[in-house]
Structures are given as C-alpha cells and as structure tokens.
Amino acid sequence: MPASTAPVRLVLASRSPARLATLAAAGVTPRVVVSDVDEPAVLDAARAGFGGDLDPADAVLVLAQAKAEEVSSRLADDDEDGASALVLGCDSMLELDGTIVGKPADADEARSRWRAMRGRSGVLHTGHWLVDARDPEDGGTGGTLGASSSTTVHFADIDDDEIDAYVASDEPLHVAGAFTIDGLGGPYVDRIEGDHHGVVGLSLPLLRELLGELEIPWRSLRDPR
C-alpha cells in the first residue's frame, strides 16, 4: 500500500530553539509542547528495570520516549484537537571517557567541563522517539518507535581565557555537553564524524527513517508552499 501524502501535524516535545530551528530550516513548523518529565526519576526507573547502568545511547532514547509519551498523553487528556498529531521527543547527552554528561549545573561546572574536553573527543548521543497519536481516519497507526544517533565531536585545544569568555556568554549552561556547533561554540569544534544535525539535537536523516517505518513520507511534514 503506498504511503499517505496527507499533511501530518508534528508536535515537538522539546523547548530547544536549536531543534525548532533545524525543523524550520527543513520546511517543518511543529507545534511545541514542552514535556514535564522528571529525568533523573525516569533514568533511575530504567536502570532498575534493566538491572544496571544504561549505555549513553540507551539513556537518551529512554528520556526521548518518556518525553514523547508524556506529551502525547497530556494532549489526549487536555486537547482533543491536539491529540491527533505525531509527537516527537528528543534528548541529547555527551559521552566523555565513558561518562554521560548533560547540561552543566553552573558556570564553574561548565568551565571544568571544557578544561576536560579541550583538545579531546567525545560522542554526542541524541535520542529520538515518535508517538503516532493521529486519528485512524487521519492515517494514524498508533505506532511508537525510536532510535539514537551518535556523532563523534573533536574539540579544539582552547586556552583558559577562551573558555572563560565562552562560559561568560551563558550559552554552555543551556545545552547538553556545554557546547553548541551551530552557535557561539561552533569555532571550538574542530570537526565531527557523523551527522551534523544529531549534534544540534535532532537528526533529520534519522527522523526521516523513523517516519518511513510508520509509512509517513518526509514531504508530508513540510509546510505547504
């Protein structure tokens, strides 16, 4: 059976301006509904369920799923119109020396993080989870699935003054791994191995593949021209 080309309404379960901008640049304007999950509690429950620590790629996927499912459930309860949509949850973490690091708690932690990262490499993991909450008459499948993208990031060997100036910009305090590639942190990333969009926080190629699993063509998300 051919995939439907009817327009699909996407809900982004994230407050990330970078994720929103990535979708907008690709011609997609989602509705933003920020998730309200307790991330440490979600990870603790997952570790208990799996009986041990989670791989970084699994940890971000667990959080992405929790965010997508929480928003989908909330829309179904509170907003009949908004319930008939495709919900996307995302989460990103940096893996450095086998340790998962998210957003720094404060400027001191951001400075310490950068002193540990400079001149070295880490892996940025981003989890993606889709919940197809569309009505069956709109082509909804009830499907739910996800995957993670992982990109190796090689950081520049910058000095303490450069680190202090970057941290003073306040940007590192609001992003996973205390850096961006599409903002003020871009000059401090020498190169990457993998998907650029995954480092920004939303892998467009991976999202397209997940949509394909639900028989939703990418073009159905794009805004009408």
Side-chain angles (χ1 to χ4, degrees):
M1 181 177 66
S4 170
T5 57
V8 174
R9 294 190 303 165
L10 180 68
V11 173
L12 178 62
S14 170
R15 71 172 75 251
S16 166
R19 292 188 180 114
L20 184 59
T22 297
L23 286 168
V28 180
T29 305
R31 175 183 177 187
V32 174
V33 180
V34 180
S35 65
D36 187 26
V37 300
D38 183 335
E39 295 186 18
V42 169
L43 290 177
D44 285 345
R47 292 186 188 102
F50 285 113
D53 288 338
L54 299 173
D55 289 336
D58 291 332
V60 292
L61 191 59
V62 164
L63 289 174
Q65 179 179 5
K67 292 174 182 180
E69 291 180 347
E70 189 275 333
V71 166
S72 179
S73 176
R74 182 149 40 98
L75 289 176
D77 290 341
D78 300 341
D79 182 355
E80 255 183 55
D81 181 58
S84 185
L86 190 69
V87 181
L88 171 63
C90 297
D91 191 82
S92 298
M93 292 181 184
L94 180 70
E95 179 185 3
L96 190 68
D97 295 332
T99 300
I100 298 173
V101 290
K103 296 177 184 177
D106 53 32
D108 286 340
E109 184 177 342
R111 277 189 289 270
S112 176
R113 182 87 54 79
W114 261 99
R115 286 169 184 151
M117 296 190 311
R118 61 184 171 189
R120 303 179 61 209
S121 303
V123 180
L124 200 288
H125 302 278
T126 296
H128 305 65
W129 198 273
L130 285 173
V131 175
D132 188 355
R134 297 174 298 157
D135 292 332
E137 55 264 35
D138 294 332
T141 65
T144 177
L145 77 168
S148 295
S149 71
S150 299
T151 301
T152 300
V153 182
H154 299 275
F155 298 102
D157 190 6
I158 58 177
D159 61 28
D160 286 350
D161 289 343
E162 199 74 39
I163 289 173
D164 290 344
Y166 181 43
V167 172
S169 75
D170 201 45
E171 182 184 82
L173 277 65
H174 303 289
V175 289
F179 78 99
T180 65
I181 195 172
D182 59 332
L184 299 179
Y188 309 131
V189 176
D190 279 344
R191 67 187 191 280
I192 66 169
E193 298 172 39
D195 180 14
H196 164 88
H197 293 110
V199 181
V200 175
L202 198 164
S203 170
L204 294 176
L206 179 55
L207 176 56
R208 177 182 53 77
E209 292 176 9
L210 293 174
L211 290 168
E213 293 291 322
L214 296 174
E215 297 190 351
I216 300 172
W218 174 264
R219 62 187 180 277
S220 66
L221 265 65
R222 287 203 303 262
D223 300 333
R225 296 294 182 181

